């Protein structure tokens, strides 16, 4: 709960069109230990990844490995033999021979260790003159990662740490351009490029699989943090400033972080998470908002800003991290280059070489002697409900904790909340008092660990009391003996499987390890401490086998008998937005009252000056300093994945992707649901969710979940809709329901058996359970409207142009939300029809006809072969015949309409979209079109929507499969103005003239997107999808060649096509009521929907 999970981070990491820089945390790993999928708002962050790169083809799922759905994350394995065995092999990359005490490039080797738990060689160096610590991790992983982290405790909530995080990326000594960071996004092969502010630290990580590219990124980042060009104008742009266009005009606050945090504060979940952390630490730095409270950001002064950098961005307060397969001496050489320069600079300035790092140490929060309760208002409409959490500060610190206790806490956390069958989650859901469980559970990233659980959608203050009683009551009964062995083993195996598999999805493994390491390293403790888990896990297993009541003791000591506990309630307050606006206005009015005509004049001039500065292009000679690859350095061939077709048949097709998976088997069972009648389409989403969550004829859902947890690595559903590759973007719709599972070699049979049982013996008779699932699904979607509004807008626009995208919207967009709200009522009023609809969906979906089964593994012969035939024959041969009148399959005839829409919701920011279909206006899409679109996003839209307009992001999307092109903005203060920017884009492209270097940069950026780093499970799955849609390697190669040979004419041609979108395109806006009302006249909405009335 310590960090508000800002979508910006994920957003940025996946779609290099919006500022990466962020204070965020990733949803999958809030404790830096294990993938987590439980908070609804982290689910929403993940959705952005879809929205960004893979579009609506994936519903609710991230294509690159991270599991999208909390409730299907159960996993486990007892087959420690295989996994542990695989871990013993040393890395193949050579590590130079060295002894503790040796000095290289000014760094002294302090520790040297082979760490089998993470299959890595880990060395700790210390810079002799500056004291900077450097961890060098050598591992068999081409996804090289670098990070620099500073301890940056804030002393108030003015957001200085966050604003500085943005600001150092706005130009530096060697790279004197406006945003070197953006230049890197445009023209590097990075697999990760971002920055994050935490409550106690700021991290700047980069990753790449290309060595030269990697060191380019490291170079720019090192220069940025140690030698930034901080000026009052940078603070004004990234932090806050007052804008005034003419002396009689209206003043307003502007600033990137200011607006970003307003967006964060529009999400009640984010507010709740922030408050839940702060109240546990009223006496320390953790009591402040390191991201900046919008009400306090304007108080930040230039002096404070400068001093913060001087105090904390010093090498002696820095920690450097390198990970991957690059040579160690290159790392040390690169780091020392910058540190030597730093020393020279300090000597020139006559300043001391080191600073007192004890000044940044995080103090301990004294323990409470009695529990507390606090309440905050939040901005909601009159139908808003309560949200609340119960929070504990646990005993001890991350640096003191012994690893066995840490393992036990991780298992306890999973045991209480990890799956729908977990007792605490289940008790809260079963009580039928709220819509969804939230709170991150165990948090190990702060110096003192915390635990947090709560609910949203609570009806009243009395319901909040009730929730708290349920939490305590459940914990008490568990401590008194309600913990079963079955439950404990399921969670233990899940934790073990995940730690060993270490599947970080699209997030670099090296970065996940860095964040885990920093939990102790930041506090001057052993950086490798939390990287170990094998021995403490085994010790924990033995204690459990010996009958010790480990978890009962933990529950009592850490939760039940722990008085350092705070209940946080968020109360809906329909007047709050009005009050906040009034307060902002009053503040500006007071400011104006103090100013005379000359001051006002000078403010107008300042506004114009800052704007002119932002608009002025960087001098070409400065831009040329940014180190970039050249097109000649790029791999001309597309990356292919080895695929074997084991069985090519009219019914089931079987694929095998032989990739090194360390003894894990990834199985994707894809069922063709193209026979589904149109009237059942909206049910498809909730059906997929329910399939593994309603139990089977033999087991109720609790036992089924535990069985999945104990004998597999997890199974999750993915509804896939896309279309066949076609040169007019009108290919046939491709529909599959995937059950994606994983297991260790010797558990493959168990995995396939469970899938087979789920498909053959479903049950749809549990009304209460379905109601819970619908409620949860609905709550998740509602939260996403605010946190990922641009995805909602994108889906809505796409749905106007292609049937496959229309179907996605029906199963995941606003239409789906409307359906779910009605479904909740139908479950009460007409349960029979709901149950029979689900059963009918099941009949249409479950058939061998058109099914595809994919295995990605290096142990196919041992693991899969023996079970394959039995499994395939267990899938019913043909879909049961359907009755009823509505027998038209969905894909056949669906009317699509382009129209302007607005959706009003309580929000302080807007999401503005405009789009159309390029094929439909006669344009042919090639690889070069992607290049021109990317350039438009990173250049023109970035500058105009974000830098000048004050939105958090502005970008565009072109889907080469369907031909749909979209302009989108993210957390935008404007509506009309943004549409104007979009409408001037065609002219911009047509007049554009780029040097060959600039075109080359754009080429590198697009190739970087195409070569996204993927873990084996994602490689196999993506290859399966390409197999289904006819996207051949030849086609991919052709597209790559088009990118590599792109020219200026390609930009102009896209400009011409976009001219048609300007005239004929449609607009969708999601935002606050006032903003939409103001834009109504110009945009002539065909429909204005209200969130509360959907
Ligand atoms: Zn930010």
């Amino acid at each position: 709960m310590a960090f508000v999970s800002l979508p910006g981070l994920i957003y940025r990491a996946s779609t290099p069109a919006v500022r990466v820089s962020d204070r965020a945390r990733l949803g999958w790993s809030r404790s830096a230990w294990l993938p987590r999928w439980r908070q609804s708002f982290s689910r929403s962050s993940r959705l952005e990844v879809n929205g960004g790169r893979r579009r609506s083809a994936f519903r609710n799922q991230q294509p690159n490995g991270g599991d999208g759905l909390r409730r299907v994350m159960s996993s486990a394995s007892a087959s420690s033999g295989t996994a542990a065995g695989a871990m013993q092999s040393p890395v193949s990359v050579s590590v130079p021979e060295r002894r503790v005490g040796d000095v290289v490039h000014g760094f002294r080797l302090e520790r040297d260790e082979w760490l089998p738990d993470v299959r890595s060689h880990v060395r700790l160096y210390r810079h002799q003159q500056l004291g900077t610590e450097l961890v060098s991790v050598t591992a068999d992983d081409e996804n090289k990662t670098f990070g620099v982290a500073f301890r940056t405790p804030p002393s108030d909530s003015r957001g200085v740490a966050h604003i500085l995080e943005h600001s150092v990326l706005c130009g530096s000594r060697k790279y004197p351009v406006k945003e070197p960071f953006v230049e890197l996004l445009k023209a590097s092969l990075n697999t990760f490029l971002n920055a994050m502010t935490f409550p106690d630290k700021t991290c700047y990580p980069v990753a790449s699989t290309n060595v030269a590219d990697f060191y380019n990124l490291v170079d720019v980042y090192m220069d940025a943090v140690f030698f930034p060009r901080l000026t009052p104008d940078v603070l004004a742009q990234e932090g806050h400033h007052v804008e005034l266009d003419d002396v009689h005009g209206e003043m307003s606050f502007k600033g990137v972080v200011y607006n970003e945090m307003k967006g964060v504060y529009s999400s009640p979940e984010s507010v709740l998470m922030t408050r839940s952390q702060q109240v546990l630490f009223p006496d320390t730095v953790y009591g402040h908002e390191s991201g900046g409270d919008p009400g306090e950001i304007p108080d930040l002064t230039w002096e404070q800003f400068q001093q913060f950098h001087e105090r904390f961005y010093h090498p002696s307060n820095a920690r450097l991290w390198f990970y991957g397969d690059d040579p160690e001496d290159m790392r040390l050489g690169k780091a020392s280059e910058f540190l030597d320069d730093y020393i020279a600079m300090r000597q020139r300035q006559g300043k001391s070489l080191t600073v007192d790092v004890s000044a940044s140490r995080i103090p301990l929060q004294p323990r409470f002697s009695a529990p507390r309760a606090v309440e905050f208002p939040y901005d909601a409409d009159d139908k808003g409900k309560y949200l609340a959490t119960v929070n504990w500060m646990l005993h001890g610190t991350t640096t003191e904790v012994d690893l066995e206790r840490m393992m036990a806490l991780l298992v306890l956390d999973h045991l209480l909340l990890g799956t729908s069958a977990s007792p605490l989650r289940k008790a809260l859901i079963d009580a039928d008092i709220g819509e969804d469980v939230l709170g991150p559970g165990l948090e190990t990233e702060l110096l003192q660990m915390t635990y947090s659980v709560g609910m949203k959608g609570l009806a009243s203050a009395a319901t909040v009391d009730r929730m708290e009683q349920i939490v305590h009551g459940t914990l008490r009964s568990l401590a008194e003996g309600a913990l079963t062995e079955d439950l404990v083993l399921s969670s233990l195996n899940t934790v073990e499987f995940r730690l060993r598999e270490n599947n970080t999805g699209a997030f670099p493994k090296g970065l996940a390890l860095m964040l885990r390491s920093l939990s102790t390293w930041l506090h001057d403790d052993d950086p490798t401490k939390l990287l170990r888990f094998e021995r403490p896990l085994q010790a924990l297993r033995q204690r459990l086998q010996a009958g010790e009541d480990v978890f009962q003791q933990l529950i009592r000591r850490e939760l039940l008998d722990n008085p350092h506990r705070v209940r946080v309630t968020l109360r809906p307050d329909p007047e709050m937005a009005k009050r906040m606006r009034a307060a902002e206005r009053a503040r500006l009015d007071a400011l104006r009252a103090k100013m005379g005509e000359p001051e006002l004049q000078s403010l107008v001039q300042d506004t114009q000056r800052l704007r002119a500065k932002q608009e002025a292009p960087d001098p070409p000679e400065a831009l040329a300093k940014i180190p970039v690859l050249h097109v000649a350095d790029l791999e001309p061939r597309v990356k292919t994945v080895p695929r074997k077709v084991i069985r090519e048949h009219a019914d089931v097709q079987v694929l095998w992707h032989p990739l090194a998976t360390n003894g894990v088997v990834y199985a994707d069972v894809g069922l063709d649901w193209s026979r589904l009648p149109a009237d059942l389409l909206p049910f498809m989403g909730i059906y997929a969710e329910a399939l593994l969550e309603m139990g089977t004829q033999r087991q109720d859902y609790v036992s089924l979940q535990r069985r999945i947890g104990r004998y597999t690595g997890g199974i999750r559903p993915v509804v896939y809709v896309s279309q066949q590759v076609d040169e007019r973007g009108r290919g046939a719709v491709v529909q599959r329901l995937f059950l994606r599972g994983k297991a260790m070699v010797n558990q493959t049979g168990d995995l396939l058996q469970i899938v087979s049982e789920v498909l053959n013996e479903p049950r749809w008779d549990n009304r209460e359970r379905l109601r819970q699932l619908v409620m949860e699904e609905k709550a998740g979607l509602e939260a996403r409207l605010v946190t990922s509004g641009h995805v909602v807008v994108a889906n809505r626009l796409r749905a106007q142009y292609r049937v496959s995208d229309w179907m996605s919207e029906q199963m995941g967009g606003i239409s789906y939300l409307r359906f779910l709200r009605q479904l909740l009522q139908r479950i009460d009023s007409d349960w029979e029809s709901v149950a029979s609809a689900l059963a009918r969906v099941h009949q249409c979906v479950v058939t061998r006809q058109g099914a595809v089964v994919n295995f990605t593994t290096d142990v196919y012969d041992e693991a899969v072969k023996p079970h394959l035939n039995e499994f395939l024959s267990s899938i019913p041969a043909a879909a049961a015949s359907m009755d009823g009148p509505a027998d038209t399959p969905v894909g056949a005839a669906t009317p699509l309409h382009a129209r302007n829409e607005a959706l009003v919701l309580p929000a302080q920011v807007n999401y503005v979209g405009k789009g159309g279909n390029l094929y439909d206006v006669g344009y042919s899409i090639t690889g070069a079109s992607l290049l021109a679109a990317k350039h438009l996003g990173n250049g023109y839209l970035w500058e105009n929507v974000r830098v000048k307009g004050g939105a958090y992001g502005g970008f565009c999307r072109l889907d080469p499969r369907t031909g749909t092109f979209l302009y989108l903005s993210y957390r935008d203060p404007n509506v009309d103005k943004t549409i104007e920017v979009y409408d001037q884009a065609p002219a911009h492209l047509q007049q554009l003239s780029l040097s060959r270097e600039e075109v080359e940069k754009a080429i590198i950026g697009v190739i970087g997107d195409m070569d996204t780093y993927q873990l084996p499970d994602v490689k196999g799955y993506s290859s399966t999808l390409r197999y289904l849609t006819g996207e051949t390697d030849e086609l991919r190669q052709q597209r790559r060649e088009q990118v590599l040979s792109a020219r200026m004419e390609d930009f102009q041609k896209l400009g011409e096509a976009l001219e048609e979108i300007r005239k004929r395109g449609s607009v969708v806006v999601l935002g606050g009521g006032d903003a939409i009302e103001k834009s109504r006249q110009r945009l002539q909405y065909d429909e204005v929907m209200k969130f509360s009335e959907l």
Side-chain angles (χ1 to χ4, degrees), residues 26 75 96 243 499 554 566 724 845 949 955 1044 1066:
L26 278 186
S75 58
E243 233 180 51
L499 284 169
L554 268 185
V566 185
Q724 287 275 350
V845 170
F955 47 100
L1044 289 169
S1066 48

Side-chain angles (χ1 to χ4, degrees), residues 6 21-23 162 165-166 257 260 952:
L6 292 193
S21 168
D22 226 293
R23 60 187 283 274
H162 183 189
E165 174 236 293
H166 280 236
V257 169
E260 179 190 336
Y952 189 46

